Amino acid sequence: QRAMSINNARLRSSLERVASGIRLNRSSDDIASMSISESLKGDVKALQQGGKNLNDGIAMINTADGSLAEQAGILIRLREITSQSATGTIGDTERATLNLEFSALRIEFDRIAATTEFNDRKLLNGDLASSSSNTTILQLGIDSNDSSRFNLNQEINLTAVTSKALGFNASNISTDTAALTAMGKLTTAIEELSSIRGRVGSVQERLGFSNDHLNSTVENMNSAISTLRDADFAEEFAGLTRNQILVQGASAMVGQANLIPQSVLTLLQAQ
C-alpha cells in the first residue's frame, strides 16, 4: 500500500507535467532550477521594458531627424535665392521679392525648431544638447550601471537649431552686398546643420544595433528559461507510462496481499 501511494503521487506529477507542459510546477520539483529561472524571468522583463524604452528613444530621434531634414531643405533654398540675389543681372524689384521669400523661409525654419517635440519634450531648442540640465537617459539594461543606460544628451549633443544659433537671423538679401554677406553665413549654417545631422545619424545607427542586441539577449534568455522550466515530453511520456505500470502493479499486489489472510483463515478452518 505504501508503494502504491508513492506511485500514485508520481503518476499525478507526471500527468500534471504532461497536461501543463511545465516541468517546474512548484519549487519542490527542482529548487535550483526554479531559483535560476525566476531570476532569469526578472531579467527578461527588465530587458523587454528596456527594449520599449529604446524604441521610444529611436522614435524621438527619428522625429528630430525628420525636422532637421526639412530645415536642411530650407537652408538649401535660402542659399539658392541668396546666390540669385547676389548676381548683378537682376534689379531691386526682384531682390525685394526674393528677400520676402528669404524672410518667410527663415520664419518657417525657426517655427520648426520651436515646435518639433516628442511627448511634450522639445527636440531642437537645445534641450538635447550635452550642456543642457534637462538630461534624457534611456534605461536599457537590468541594473543601474552606466553601461545599462544611454545618455542621449551626451551622445547626440543636439544643440539649438534656430536661425540665431546658426548665425543668419539678421541676414537679408535686399541688396547684392547684403546677399554676399548672407551667402557666407548660410554656408556656415549648412555646414553646422550637416554636422548636427551627422551626430543624429550616428546615434540612430547605434540605437538600431542596441535594439538588435536587446532582442537577441531576450530571445536567448527565454530559451534558457524554457530549458529549465518546460517539460521534455519524450521523457515525461516515458515516465508517465512507467508510473502507470507501477500503479497497476502495486494495485494488483495489494489485491494479492489481501488474499493471504483469507488463505490462512481457510487453512485454520480446515483444521
Side-chain angles (χ1 to χ4, degrees):
Q1 288 176 340
R2 182 179 63 82
M4 184 172 67
S5 177
I6 294 173
N7 291 331
N8 272 321
R10 290 174 177 171
L11 179 59
R12 285 194 299 269
S13 179
S14 293
L15 288 170
E16 185 177 29
R17 292 176 179 178
V18 171
S20 66
I22 299 175
R23 184 176 70 89
L24 303 179
N25 289 288
R26 56 188 60 83
S27 296
S28 59
D29 290 337
D30 188 334
I31 298 173
S33 294
M34 178 65 76
S35 175
I36 295 171
S37 65
E38 287 299 307
S39 177
L40 287 175
K41 284 173 65 177
D43 290 346
V44 165
K45 289 298 182 182
L47 289 175
Q48 287 175 333
Q49 183 58 52
K52 294 177 183 178
N53 298 340
L54 180 58
N55 284 326
D56 287 342
I58 291 174
M60 175 187 287
I61 299 304
N62 288 344
T63 300
D65 186 56
S67 294
L68 289 172
E70 294 300 322
Q71 288 184 306
I74 290 175
L75 282 180
I76 291 172
R77 176 56 182 166
L78 288 175
R79 182 69 172 75
E80 179 183 3
I81 62 176
T82 298
S83 177
Q84 185 178 0
S85 179
T87 188
T89 58
I90 64 172
D92 293 339
T93 301
E94 290 82 2
R95 285 196 180 91
T97 301
L98 291 173
N99 193 53
L100 287 175
E101 182 181 355
F102 187 96
S103 298
L105 289 178
R106 181 171 54 201
I107 291 172
E108 179 59 16
F109 187 94
D110 287 335
R111 188 197 68 80
I112 292 174
T115 59
T116 299
E117 60 182 44
F118 183 88
N119 195 23
D120 296 329
R121 180 69 184 272
K122 299 293 185 181
L123 303 181
L124 304 183
N125 68 342
D127 280 356
L128 285 179
S130 59
S131 59
S132 174
S133 60
N134 193 9
T135 305
T136 300
I137 295 179
L138 301 179
Q139 177 64 35
L140 307 181
I142 59 177
D143 51 40
S144 59
N145 294 330
D146 290 341
S147 58
S148 294
R149 294 189 299 248
F150 193 94
N151 190 324
L152 280 179
N153 290 65
Q154 293 297 325
E155 298 296 335
I156 198 171
N157 190 22
L158 209 171
T159 53
V161 191
T162 63
S163 61
K164 182 178 181 179
L166 297 184
F168 67 97
N169 58 308
S171 298
N172 72 84
I173 57 173
S174 58
T175 66
D176 56 350
T177 302
L180 288 173
T181 302
M183 189 179 299
K185 293 182 177 180
L186 286 172
T187 299
T188 302
I190 290 173
E191 292 174 353
E192 177 61 23
L193 184 58
S194 296
S195 177
I196 292 173
R197 291 198 69 191
R199 295 197 298 270
V200 170
S202 66
V203 171
Q204 282 178 310
E205 184 178 25
R206 181 177 174 184
L207 291 180
F209 280 112
S210 296
N211 190 43
D212 292 341
H213 175 257
L214 267 181
N215 290 334
S216 176
T217 301
V218 168
E219 180 180 348
N220 290 329
M221 292 180 74
N222 277 326
S223 178
I225 293 172
S226 176
T227 300
L228 290 168
R229 298 181 66 92
D230 292 350
D232 183 334
F233 280 99
E235 180 181 347
E236 295 301 335
F237 274 116
L240 175 62
T241 302
R242 175 181 180 276
N243 291 330
Q244 286 174 329
I245 293 173
L246 289 175
V247 168
Q248 292 171 2
S251 298
M253 291 306 99
V254 168
Q256 291 296 322
N258 288 335
L259 292 177
I260 294 175
Q262 296 179 10
S263 300
V264 174
L265 180 60
T266 302
L267 290 172
L268 290 174
Q269 289 173 346
Q271 294 297 326

